[in-house]
Amino acid sequence: MSKVIANMSMSLDGYVADTADGIDQLFGWMGNGEVEVPTAVEWATFRMSPASAEYMRAALAGAGALVTGRHLFDITQGWGGTHPIGVPVVVVTHEPPADWPHDETFTFVDGVAEAVRVAAGLAGEKNVVVASAKIAQQCLDAGLLDAIDVDLVPVLLGEGVRWFENLAKAPVRLGDPTVIEGNGVTHLAYEVIRKA
């Protein structure tokens, strides 16, 4: 059964980017190992520890669609038309780009509920991955997330973009974590406990 999973690399003090939206301190684990993990794009082949590689291969194989926000889409310049996980991308935005040439793999919608609905249709039996701090917050508040996967990096950024800073419906209870130890990262997977 498919799930809606929020996934981010995060510092030990809860940040998913620095104050300039930089992520360099958070993604070193994707290149610090001996096992090669190719992606859907030539410019993003990972080299990870064996444990992280196994975790990443399972995540890539299970992903069927990605939901992101317009801010991340703009920062990455739409990943050049293909996201590294190689799945359809649904972008939440009030203003779709005027001349976006990659409409076959990118869909622009207004609102997180519609984005998750469209992404679920595109994903089929596979998972919908949410990769954006604000969109993940909105999905959690709307009861749309089934799981949260954290790639916890041993660094303290001190300030920046927090992943779940503005939750409207806190507290949110999570299940016991699945824990995978990699080099320079601890992968934590939590089920979201739905309120009765």
Side-chain angles (χ1 to χ4, degrees), residues 21 30 45 67 85 104 116 122 140 144 150 153 158 165 171 178:
D21 287 320
M30 291 184 168
T45 295
V67 175
I85 64 174
E104 68 280 357
V116 169
L122 293 168
L140 195 56
L144 298 171
V150 182
V153 179
E165 184 169 42
T178 300

Side-chain angles (χ1 to χ4, degrees), residues 8-164:
M8 299 283 274
S9 284
M10 183 179 75
S11 68
L12 191 58
D13 54 349
Y15 296 100
V16 294
D18 64 24
T19 55
D21 287 320
I23 56 171
D24 292 346
Q25 297 288 327
L26 301 174
F27 284 89
W29 66 272
M30 291 184 168
N32 69 2
E34 63 278 7
V35 180
E36 191 170 283
V37 179
T39 69
V41 294
E42 285 184 27
W43 53 267
T45 295
F46 306 132
R47 298 194 63 77
M48 305 174 167
S49 69
S52 289
E54 184 177 341
Y55 160 83
M56 181 61 74
R57 286 185 181 127
L60 291 171
L66 179 87
V67 175
T68 190
R70 179 63 187 266
H71 182 69
L72 183 57
F73 172 83
D74 288 343
I75 289 171
T76 63
Q77 298 177 341
W79 298 276
T82 303
H83 190 279
I85 64 174
V87 297
V89 177
V90 180
V91 182
V92 180
T93 181
H94 300 300
E95 292 185 35
D99 296 319
W100 180 246
H102 306 284
D103 288 337
E104 68 280 357
T105 54
F106 284 75
T107 304
F108 300 90
V109 301
D110 189 0
V112 295
E114 179 66 3
V116 169
R117 186 191 69 73
V118 169
L122 293 168
E125 294 298 312
K126 293 190 172 188
N127 296 323
V128 171
V129 179
V130 179
S132 171
K134 289 180 183 175
I135 302 304
Q137 290 170 18
Q138 292 174 42
C139 285
L140 195 56
D141 283 336
L144 298 171
L145 282 187
D146 298 306
I148 297 171
D149 291 356
V150 182
D151 302 319
L152 189 63
V153 179
V155 64
L156 301 171
L157 292 181
E159 59 183 343
V161 178
R162 286 198 183 275
W163 194 0
F164 293 108

